[in-house]
Amino acid sequence: MPASATAGQRIVAMLRRTPPLVLPMLVLSAGLVTAGSVAVRGIRTSADTITVTGASTERIKSDYVDWTVEVRGNGSSQQEAYQALEPQVERAVAFLKEQNVPKSSIQLGVIQSSSQDVRNRVTGALITTRWTTRQPILIGSSDVGLISGVSRRIGDLVGQGVPISIRQPAYTFTRLSEKRVDMLAKATADAKRRAEAIAQQAGSGIGAITKADTGTFQITVPNSTSMSSYGSYDTSTIWKDITAVMGVTFRVQ
């Protein structure tokens, strides 16, 4: 290159001779990237392009919850197990209604029965057969706060002698499709700002987008640093962090 070339021209020439650089994406890692920030994915120097990774994070509140409580009844026959189950289910449903869970939010699932043989440990002879009948109670509601509170109090039924299995409520966000579009747009805008900052150091500018790749879409517990190459959707908490990642290639002007 001629000695009279400017510093910016020399930097651009160096970028075009440099092999591709790939820097590990540090989105949500060790607190280095905060909501709405961007991690550089790399510079692809095929002729006149630059590729960066943009990320946008936002905290959202779940607007729906699914929850299952399973009641059991035991007996020496299938009929006896069912007869033992029925009043316990009534007590469990009554408890939910007392906690202001609407009747429309409560459904009874399909009853399941199973048996277990009790045998003599020495001879293997059959002593008796015990039957267990299970009734799932399905709760679905948009009042996530109410169901969250009830799920913490349902253990009172155990103290009252009701044999139940309690599953963790699953909190979801029903407007995810709309939110996904918004988050990807913000991630793309962040990628553009990062690309402009990098190009400016070389005395260049950023032109049109030549390629855009949707990366991972993560829904995690607040402040989580876990990342999955396939994306994730955590349902254990009402509040969540939603993160969209975009890899965007721009033309360098």
Side-chain angles (χ1 to χ4, degrees), residues 78-199:
Q78 189 175 30
Q79 181 182 16
E80 186 177 310
Y82 177 79
Q83 291 172 345
L85 171 71
E86 197 170 17
Q88 305 291 17
V89 172
E90 292 176 357
R91 292 175 66 183
V93 171
F95 175 86
L96 292 172
K97 291 180 179 179
E98 289 170 2
Q99 300 297 314
N100 298 318
V101 178
K103 181 179 179 181
S104 59
S105 297
I106 304 172
Q107 292 184 345
L108 298 182
V110 178
I111 293 179
Q112 299 177 342
S113 292
S114 61
S115 61
Q116 182 178 10
D117 292 338
V118 180
R119 297 183 178 275
N120 185 291
R121 295 183 179 180
V122 178
T123 65
L126 179 64
I127 298 174
T128 186
T129 298
R130 297 294 298 173
W131 282 85
T132 300
T133 303
R134 298 175 174 83
Q135 172 71 75
I137 301 176
L138 313 175
I139 300 99
S141 174
S142 59
D143 193 339
V144 295
L146 171 66
I147 302 305
S148 177
V150 176
S151 70
R152 293 191 293 270
R153 296 188 294 270
I154 193 72
D156 292 348
L157 284 175
V158 178
Q160 298 171 20
V162 179
I164 59 175
S165 296
I166 306 167
R167 300 181 188 176
Q168 185 174 12
Y171 302 100
T172 55
F173 185 71
T174 60
R175 302 190 303 276
L176 186 58
S177 296
E178 176 184 341
K179 177 58 67 175
R180 184 191 298 268
V181 173
D182 177 61
M183 296 297 292
L184 291 176
K186 291 178 179 178
T188 302
D190 283 347
K192 182 178 180 181
R193 285 190 290 270
R194 174 61 67 175
E196 288 173 338
I198 295 173

Side-chain angles (χ1 to χ4, degrees), residues 58-79:
E58 183 176 328
R59 187 152 296 176
I60 60 173
K61 182 180 180 181
S62 302
D63 58 8
Y64 199 81
V65 57
D66 288 297
W67 182 39
T68 300
V69 176
E70 188 179 77
V71 185
R72 300 186 306 275
N74 301 307
S76 57
S77 67
Q78 189 175 30
Q79 181 182 16

